[in-house]
Amino acid sequence: MTGCHQKWNAERALATIRGLADVPGALLPVLHALHTDYGHVPDEAVPLIARSLRLSEAEVHGVISFYHDFRRTPPPAHTIRVCRAEACQSMGCEAVFQHLDGSTGPDLAVETVYCLGNCALAPAAMVDSDLVGRFSIAKADRALAELGARP
């Protein structure tokens, strides 16, 4: 997924910011656009956003840190999201999550989500963009092997 993100370019970022500056409540659309372009909101973008939208850098940082979907660092190459909502808990997601938790590193993140809408096939997980039902320790190990991470 990281391969589709652009490298930081201040001129391009500023064009994105200015293109959305007149949208009501422009900060969130700007942050979403930059996050889509770069895979995160680069620290270098914060002063550009603040100046362009007439906000303080603290206000921009506050919004970035408030919303957990905004990353401030580049994403890892792969992400496994394990649902830990009630239906998945009742089907053993905790054991799978604990099994995966030590597998994180610069190329792999293991994250908690609460509901992937796949309760009938609990426990559920997302391996990068693929929804996986009945996500077991064996399936987790296969996913790690396919991603090139250690099982």
Side-chain angles (χ1 to χ4, degrees), residues 11-147:
E11 290 178 22
R12 188 176 10 207
L14 196 52
T16 298
I17 296 164
R18 288 182 177 154
L20 294 167
D22 293 330
V23 171
L27 181 54
L28 283 175
V30 164
L31 292 174
H32 280 292
L34 293 174
H35 201 274
T36 297
D37 289 347
Y38 299 103
H40 68 292
V41 180
D43 288 337
E44 300 89 345
V46 172
L48 299 177
I49 296 167
R51 268 194 308 275
S52 297
L53 300 183
R54 295 187 177 105
L55 300 169
S56 71
E57 289 185 29
E59 289 173 299
V60 176
H61 278 293
V63 172
I64 294 168
S65 63
F66 179 79
Y67 292 101
H68 72 274
D69 285 337
F70 290 129
R71 299 181 58 86
R72 297 189 64 196
T73 58
H78 302 286
T79 303
I80 298 176
R81 293 173 180 88
V82 179
C83 179
R84 294 173 80 188
E86 291 81 4
C88 289
Q89 283 181 22
S90 71
M91 297 303 290
C93 71
E94 289 303 314
V96 178
F97 183 82
Q98 294 304 319
H99 179 74
L100 285 170
D101 200 30
S103 301
T104 59
D107 292 332
L108 175 67
V110 176
E111 301 175 351
T112 294
V113 293
Y114 291 97
C115 199
L116 291 167
N118 201 23
C119 302
L121 296 176
M126 291 283 297
V127 178
D128 288 335
S129 60
D130 296 326
L131 181 62
V132 181
R134 307 240 191 277
F135 196 61
S136 62
I137 289 174
K139 284 186 179 182
D141 285 345
R142 280 195 297 277
L144 290 173
E146 288 172 10
L147 298 175

